[in-house]
Amino acid sequence: MLRDAKRVGYVFSGGSSRCAFQIGVIEALAELGVRPALAIGVSAGAWNAALVAAHCESRIRYYWRSFMRMPHIDLRNLLVDHSPFRFRKMHERTFERFIGRDRFKQPDALPLFVSVTRFRDGANVIFDARDVDDPLQLLLATNYLPPFYTHRPVINGEMYGDGGISDNAPYEKALAEGCDAVVVVTQKGESEGGLFKRKGDYDHVVTDPRVVVIRPRHRLPFSFTERRWDVLDVLARIGYLRTREILLGEDHPETHVRAEGEAPSARARRILRAIIPRST
């Protein structure tokens, strides 16, 4: 289906460090000759979407490794961002080095759409990176979660936060933009149930035949805050092999790895309740 499609959209869900799974998916899709027409990103998945839109897929591993090498805690950052975590500065340096703020307005760049949550009412908003003055601010907005970020990003006079809260898999946007096939890449295992779509929709089922979902078989035994590249490289490998399983019907023992215990859904619900206004 993907090879015959005239316009393919990529949708990358959030998942913090687990989004390294998407590295392998991107590499496998390129190897199989799939060429996207646009990319949509949510939370940490937005950085991968940005690389795809900027045609920097070949440098995706360098991007991730460069980011992971930087010290993520610095007490001096308390004077700058009022947080010991310096993820904002780390993202700024890596983004400027590998992509650049003007890249998405260049003719050869793919459209990049980013899902964010409006703090005023908890509504989902999807921005076109070409329509904002500072795309880095937009990418930081979809990643905003305290305590890692403390200053709420402002876009067009409104404050926004993590897009995964209000829509972590906005495949409908790709279809609305004229795609006849959509690839959704998410990190929630198939054995855990449906997709995490948004707050209140934790087991979403995709029924549209035009949408291909690529995700692990089981809950991944990798921390959301994992920073060791040798570990994330294994996760990328699983993403690569899982893509070949879904699209080509192959079977690889490495993809059968699973985490012990139950998925931390209760903790996720507590976090969402804490950062979304009670009125929503």
Side-chain angles (χ1 to χ4, degrees):
M1 180 183 75
L2 295 179
R3 286 180 175 176
D4 296 333
K6 296 180 179 179
R7 187 173 171 83
V8 180
Y10 285 0
V11 179
F12 299 101
S13 296
S16 194
S17 294
R18 290 187 182 180
C19 287
F21 175 86
Q22 299 170 2
I23 296 173
V25 176
I26 292 169
E27 292 174 339
L29 289 171
E31 187 177 281
L32 294 173
V34 181
R35 299 291 180 263
L38 59 83
I40 301 175
V42 188
S43 194
W47 304 109
N48 291 330
L51 286 161
V52 169
H55 294 298
C56 294
E57 299 98 320
S58 62
R59 305 184 71 192
I60 189 169
R61 288 176 177 265
Y62 297 107
Y63 190 104
W64 273 75
R65 293 188 71 169
S66 177
F67 179 83
M68 291 299 169
R69 286 193 188 105
M70 298 180 189
H72 66 289
I73 293 180
D74 186 345
L75 294 180
R76 293 173 297 180
N77 199 50
L78 289 168
L79 302 176
V80 180
D81 290 327
H82 305 111
S83 169
F85 298 100
R86 57 192 301 270
F87 286 107
R88 181 192 62 79
K89 189 62 177 179
M90 292 162 60
H91 278 303
E92 181 179 22
R93 289 183 179 179
T94 311
F95 180 81
E96 293 286 7
R97 177 182 177 187
F98 288 89
I99 298 178
R101 300 181 192 234
D102 298 327
R103 180 67 182 96
F104 305 118
K105 294 184 179 181
Q106 295 176 7
D108 65 323
L110 299 180
L112 171 65
F113 298 95
V114 179
S115 170
V116 293
T117 301
R118 188 166 57 204
F119 271 104
R120 173 167 51 85
D121 54 6
N124 179 254
V125 180
I126 298 179
F127 282 99
D128 186 331
R130 297 169 295 186
D131 296 334
V132 298
D133 294 332
D134 187 353
L136 175 60
Q137 190 75 354
L138 175 61
L139 291 164
L140 289 173
T142 192
N143 281 271
Y144 174 88
L145 275 178
F148 306 107
Y149 304 89
T150 53
H151 297 164
R152 294 181 177 182
V154 177
I155 303 170
N156 298 336
E158 289 271 7
M159 291 186 293
Y160 294 92
D162 196 291
I165 298 167
S166 55
D167 198 339
N168 196 45
Y171 59 87
E172 300 91 343
K173 176 62 175 176
L175 295 171
E177 290 294 322
C179 292
D180 54 348
V182 180
V183 178
V184 177
V185 189
T186 185
Q187 290 66 246
K188 183 180 178 182
E190 289 182 348
S191 64
E192 296 181 90
L195 306 184
F196 169 60
K197 176 70 167 166
R198 61 173 61 89
K199 180 185 178 183
D201 188 359
Y202 299 97
D203 289 293
H204 181 80
V205 177
V206 179
T207 59
D208 196 308
R210 296 170 293 177
V211 180
V212 176
V213 179
I214 299 178
R215 57 174 175 152
R217 291 179 180 273
H218 309 291
R219 184 165 70 91
L220 294 166
F222 300 88
S223 169
F224 281 98
T225 56
E226 179 61 65
R227 291 182 51 80
R228 294 169 294 175
W229 174 250
D230 59 332
V231 176
L232 296 178
D233 186 41
V234 173
L235 183 51
R237 173 69 176 171
I238 293 174
Y240 174 86
L241 295 176
R242 189 68 184 126
T243 303
R244 295 187 64 88
E245 287 184 333
I246 292 172
L247 299 183
L248 301 179
E250 299 176 353
D251 186 20
H252 298 278
E254 293 171 74
T255 67
H256 292 264
V257 64
R258 65 189 306 166
E260 298 179 358
E262 298 295 327
S265 57
R267 180 174 179 272
R269 287 176 170 85
R270 288 196 299 272
I271 293 173
L272 294 178
R273 285 197 298 268
I275 60 181
I276 290 295
R278 294 181 180 275
S279 59
T280 60

